[in-house]
Amino acid sequence: MDFFARSFAIAGLAVSLAACSGAPAQSRPPAVAQTAAAPPPVVPAGPCALRPSCDTPFPAPSKREFRHNRSGLLASALGARHRGRDLFLLPGTPQWVLGKFAYGPADKDLKDEDIDVYLLRGCGAAWEKVGTYRTTEDEGSHPAVVGVADGGGQIFVNLAQVLPGGPLGVGRHRIKLVVAGDGTSVDLFLEVLPAGARIVVTDIDGTLTEKEEALVGDVLTGNHSQTHPGAVDVMRALSGRGFFMFYLTARPHWLEPRTREWLRLRGFPPGIVHTSVTATGRMGGAAASFKSGELSLLKTATGLLPELAFGNMPSDVDAYWSSGIPRTFYYKLADDARGGVKHDDYRTLLPSLGELPAVCP
């Protein structure tokens, strides 16, 4: 087990022990006061509206009894580590809701329990209940979907087949998955893309965060690390010119909610967030393989390849180069960039990237 795997295991234990208060996982206060949100960026975002934040308040759900006594014991003893899977979609394709429900540092699956699925269609003003679905019991009970295998404690729901009003239209949609037995929940986002959509992909650790290992300290302390000067401005400028943001990180899957919260607090534009689907994350060659695989899945699902990519490690270079992304940028990279642009200050990129043609969705 490498340094980061050990660190994340320790961090997971700390988070789980701190979360054993019985309150919903997403509403429990952290051990340390949260850092205030970043001030507005100094550079105008651009002529296009940023993707909506989808922050309509969610009404408190009514809890029901767990189906199994073992589930109640699990939930009362350990902190929730649920996670969902964001997706880019095209109109007319399956619209999968993928959720994993587990507790504690050992990632104990919540099996054969009810999950209530709610939808904020188009990031509008009203939540609607989609239905209730049962988590899987055994590994492999459901076939893999868009690269996500069934490891138990999961739901797989194709909204295009179950929504009374028909499939989701072009736009950004928020899904909330609520465990009926204890009210803990997790969010995910589906982005149904318009014709001609353009995508930017960026790594997070060391690329956007102030240090490569900043996440470990964040998880252990409850703080939110800073970002590199100008990084928020660059991403907002690109989003403001009509690009869709794809945040792609090899972090452990259970850190997906914290990753989304960090991006929000630091002022990054809303987008699609993908972590690894492993409990300890991936490093080096494994991270490169994971990211190139995710980019391949994106192309298969949408026919699209990101036009721009940002990273900071050789694994990012390998993934972006093998995927054929035309324009790549690497923060303080010492290795061969394989035709990409090396830089040590995001602010130097703003004059050119901030003037790219705007194509608003």
Side-chain angles (χ1 to χ4, degrees), residues 142-202:
H142 193 283
V145 174
V146 290
V148 177
D150 180 12
Q154 297 181 218
I155 63 168
F156 299 79
V157 182
N158 183 358
L159 291 184
Q161 296 179 340
V162 301
L163 286 178
L168 298 173
V170 170
R172 184 169 172 83
H173 311 275
R174 179 180 173 188
I175 312 294
K176 185 172 285 289
L177 309 178
V178 182
V179 177
D182 67 359
T184 54
S185 66
V186 71
D187 293 294
L188 62 89
F189 292 82
L190 301 180
E191 187 78 59
V192 183
L193 296 169
R198 301 178 299 167
I199 297 174
V200 173
V201 62
T202 180

Side-chain angles (χ1 to χ4, degrees), residues 82-134:
H82 315 321
R83 53 266 197 188
R85 193 68 165 170
D86 292 0
L87 291 174
F88 283 118
L89 305 169
L90 290 182
T93 61
Q95 299 177 342
W96 287 103
V97 168
L98 308 175
K100 168 77 173 182
F101 302 88
Y103 293 82
D107 229 27
K108 298 291 291 183
D109 296 334
L110 182 68
K111 299 181 178 182
D112 193 39
E113 291 292 347
D114 289 339
I115 306 298
D116 295 329
V117 178
Y118 295 87
L119 166 67
L120 190 64
R121 190 188 296 260
C123 292
W127 287 91
E128 57 186 281
K129 185 174 181 179
V130 175
T132 300
Y133 301 89
R134 196 73 50 79

Side-chain angles (χ1 to χ4, degrees), residues 2-339:
D2 60 35
F3 168 77
F4 283 102
R6 290 195 301 271
S7 299
F8 286 136
I10 295 170
L13 177 60
V15 170
S16 296
L17 291 175
C20 291
S21 64
Q26 279 67 37
S27 65
R28 294 182 184 119
V32 176
Q34 297 294 328
T35 307
V42 297
V43 177
C48 305
L50 302 185
R51 304 308 298 150
S53 58
C54 287
D55 54 5
T56 297
F58 181 74
S62 58
K63 293 188 291 184
R64 306 189 294 276
E65 293 292 328
F66 278 110
R67 289 171 44 80
H68 304 282
N69 290 335
R70 67 172 186 266
S71 301
L73 293 172
L74 178 66
S76 62
L78 299 170
R81 298 213 307 186
H82 315 321
R83 53 266 197 188
R85 193 68 165 170
D86 292 0
L87 291 174
F88 283 118
L89 305 169
L90 290 182
T93 61
Q95 299 177 342
W96 287 103
V97 168
L98 308 175
K100 168 77 173 182
F101 302 88
Y103 293 82
D107 229 27
K108 298 291 291 183
D109 296 334
L110 182 68
K111 299 181 178 182
D112 193 39
E113 291 292 347
D114 289 339
I115 306 298
D116 295 329
V117 178
Y118 295 87
L119 166 67
L120 190 64
R121 190 188 296 260
C123 292
W127 287 91
E128 57 186 281
K129 185 174 181 179
V130 175
T132 300
Y133 301 89
R134 196 73 50 79
T135 56
T136 56
E137 292 193 69
D138 300 315
E139 184 175 341
S141 298
H142 193 283
V145 174
V146 290
V148 177
D150 180 12
Q154 297 181 218
I155 63 168
F156 299 79
V157 182
N158 183 358
L159 291 184
Q161 296 179 340
V162 301
L163 286 178
L168 298 173
V170 170
R172 184 169 172 83
H173 311 275
R174 179 180 173 188
I175 312 294
K176 185 172 285 289
L177 309 178
V178 182
V179 177
D182 67 359
T184 54
S185 66
V186 71
D187 293 294
L188 62 89
F189 292 82
L190 301 180
E191 187 78 59
V192 183
L193 296 169
R198 301 178 299 167
I199 297 174
V200 173
V201 62
T202 180
D203 172 56
I204 295 178
D205 292 305
T207 300
L208 301 182
T209 63
E210 58 186 339
K211 295 184 293 185
E212 179 72 23
E213 67 279 8
L215 174 67
V216 176
D218 286 357
V219 173
L220 289 172
T221 65
N223 286 332
H224 289 278
S225 58
Q226 297 298 320
T227 184
H228 298 306
V232 172
D233 296 340
V234 166
M235 300 308 160
R236 288 180 69 92
L238 292 171
S239 184
R241 306 201 79 74
F243 285 91
F244 291 85
M245 302 304 303
F246 184 19
Y247 299 101
L248 179 59
T249 171
R251 291 176 172 187
H253 197 191
W254 57 273
L255 286 171
E256 178 271 327
R258 170 169 279 274
T259 300
R260 194 189 309 284
E261 179 69 1
W262 181 84
L263 291 166
R264 184 189 69 80
L265 286 173
R266 291 289 159 251
F268 286 96
I272 293 299
V273 177
H274 272 199
T275 63
S276 75
V277 291
T278 64
T280 57
R282 303 186 182 185
M283 299 289 292
S289 296
F290 158 70
K291 290 182 178 181
S292 60
E294 289 292 307
L295 293 167
S296 178
L297 287 169
L298 173 66
K299 189 169 184 180
T300 299
T302 67
L304 299 173
L305 186 69
E307 296 184 20
L308 305 170
F310 295 83
N312 76 311
M313 296 291 285
S315 58
D316 298 320
V317 178
D318 290 344
Y320 298 157
W321 182 81
S322 64
S323 300
I325 297 176
R327 297 186 65 184
T328 56
F329 304 85
Y330 301 102
Y331 182 78
K332 294 188 176 180
L333 176 72
D335 296 70
D336 182 6
R338 299 192 184 184

